[in-house]
Amino acid sequence: MNKKLNLLQVYRGVAAVLVVLTHGNIILSREMHQGDLLQIFHFGWIGVDFFFVLSGFIIFYIHQSDIGKANKFKSFIFKRFIRVYPLYWSILSIKILASLFNTNKDNIYQRSADEIIKAVLLLPQNHSILESSFIGVSWTLSYEVFFYCIFALLILKNTRISQSIIFAWIIGIFLNLLNLLPIDESFLLRFIFNERNLEFVLGCLAAYTISKYQFKFATSLIYASLFLLVVSVINTKYKEFDVSGIPPSLAYGIPFTLLIIGSVYLELSKTVNIPQILIYIGNASYSIYLTHGFFLGNISKVFTKFTDKVNILYLFPNPNIYYNVNAFLIVILAVVMGCVIHSYLEKPLITNLRKKVFTQIS
């Protein structure tokens, strides 16, 4: 990528914060039993849809010239591995250590070796197992890793056979989207042909469009995508994960694709001044994404104990006001702690690993 696309980094940060807000609504409602202001962000799970589309875009945009070049395979694999696994394993290790003090029935030590291995390697696994005993959002990383493997196949061998496999995969996704693929009884097939995988394909399509065509109306495309996103949000009901029956891979995947195309065209055509703090949050988005559940849960427990001990509620005419203020403070603290993890763990970890690994393979 010749020019750093800061707008996409800002969007990455916004997507991460949206996920924090929607999980904040779920976790804080459970831990604090009050406060409803975060329900406004019940649609925040769409941040995952953006991450998938963006991943498809980034991988294709950066590595399209590597397709069919087997000598680039090792470098691609190492780059993707370093980007995903070291931080994930670090956070997972902390979660495992923390579980030593957890007497919950879903403690990690009650899990089978098969379930633990799948969690460590980010192999497909039931969401409920990951949420209760490991890192809840890691199910999305399984899709990321799967997409990297698909793209790695194109880099290793861009033959008719590999192209046919990928084409059949995309057709299978569409058939499954239309409920025309009889795979309900197979967890693995439902994972392989899950509609979310379509968002990676849409991201690749966005990158291909930008690399092949010119578009002068970038701002109009951004406005159109934002309009479509607002329409989808308005039609997303509380506690539902579709848009009035329309799959999120279409209702959100398509607008996010248009948003990325328009934003990249805009930044390639002129300089867009963006506050550094927004870019920083975007850079820290992976750390925020991986750690926010841990921080939301534990910080809320501290706030609850403080409230019970000090009996501060009598100062507020409406307890909901207190709980809503607390909720936003906890969300902010979770984001800040994610940024701390990024600065003092993720950045040094990845920088050092890149130096060591690429010195060896170059």
Side-chain angles (χ1 to χ4, degrees), residues 250-265:
L250 298 177
Y252 287 105
I254 291 175
F256 282 139
T257 301
L258 298 178
L259 178 64
I260 289 172
I261 293 174
S263 299
V264 172
Y265 275 133

Side-chain angles (χ1 to χ4, degrees), residues 211-316:
S211 65
K212 294 295 182 181
Y213 304 103
Q214 296 294 323
F215 189 78
K216 296 181 179 179
F217 305 102
T219 305
S220 298
L221 196 58
I222 293 173
Y223 286 148
S225 65
L226 292 176
F227 172 76
L228 291 174
L229 286 172
V230 170
V231 170
S232 292
V233 167
I234 291 173
N235 287 280
T236 298
K237 297 178 182 178
Y238 183 58
K239 292 187 178 180
E240 291 190 6
F241 296 95
D242 57 21
V243 183
S244 298
I246 301 173
S249 57
L250 298 177
Y252 287 105
I254 291 175
F256 282 139
T257 301
L258 298 178
L259 178 64
I260 289 172
I261 293 174
S263 299
V264 172
Y265 275 133
L266 182 65
E267 280 208 273
L268 291 178
S269 63
K270 67 178 189 177
T271 301
V272 180
N273 295 317
I274 301 171
Q276 285 300 312
I277 183 63
L278 297 181
I279 298 173
Y280 173 79
I281 293 174
N283 293 337
S285 58
Y286 186 44
S287 292
I288 294 170
Y289 187 67
L290 282 181
T291 62
H292 73 272
F294 176 82
F295 287 123
L296 285 171
N298 286 284
I299 295 173
S300 63
K301 285 182 173 67
V302 173
F303 269 66
T304 300
K305 288 182 179 179
F306 173 79
T307 301
D308 293 341
K309 188 172 183 178
V310 178
N311 194 24
I312 199 173
L313 285 177
Y314 78 92
L315 295 175
F316 293 83

Side-chain angles (χ1 to χ4, degrees), residues 157-228:
K157 285 191 176 181
N158 186 24
T159 62
R160 287 187 177 181
I161 294 176
S162 59
Q163 290 174 1
S164 298
I165 291 172
I166 293 173
F167 182 72
W169 172 59
I170 295 173
I171 293 298
I173 295 171
F174 275 107
L175 290 175
N176 189 40
L177 192 63
L178 298 172
N179 295 317
L180 298 177
L181 208 61
I183 58 173
D184 288 344
E185 296 182 3
S186 173
F187 178 83
L188 183 59
L189 288 178
R190 281 187 281 115
F191 173 85
I192 292 172
F193 296 108
N194 190 285
E195 67 175 70
R196 300 281 182 158
N197 289 313
L198 180 61
E199 293 172 331
F200 294 110
V201 177
L202 289 172
C204 292
L205 182 61
Y208 178 82
T209 301
I210 289 167
S211 65
K212 294 295 182 181
Y213 304 103
Q214 296 294 323
F215 189 78
K216 296 181 179 179
F217 305 102
T219 305
S220 298
L221 196 58
I222 293 173
Y223 286 148
S225 65
L226 292 176
F227 172 76
L228 291 174

Side-chain angles (χ1 to χ4, degrees), residues 20-33:
V20 177
L21 286 166
T22 196
H23 285 162
N25 176 42
I26 297 169
I27 294 172
L28 301 185
S29 294
R30 181 182 69 226
E31 297 294 339
M32 300 170 66
H33 310 295

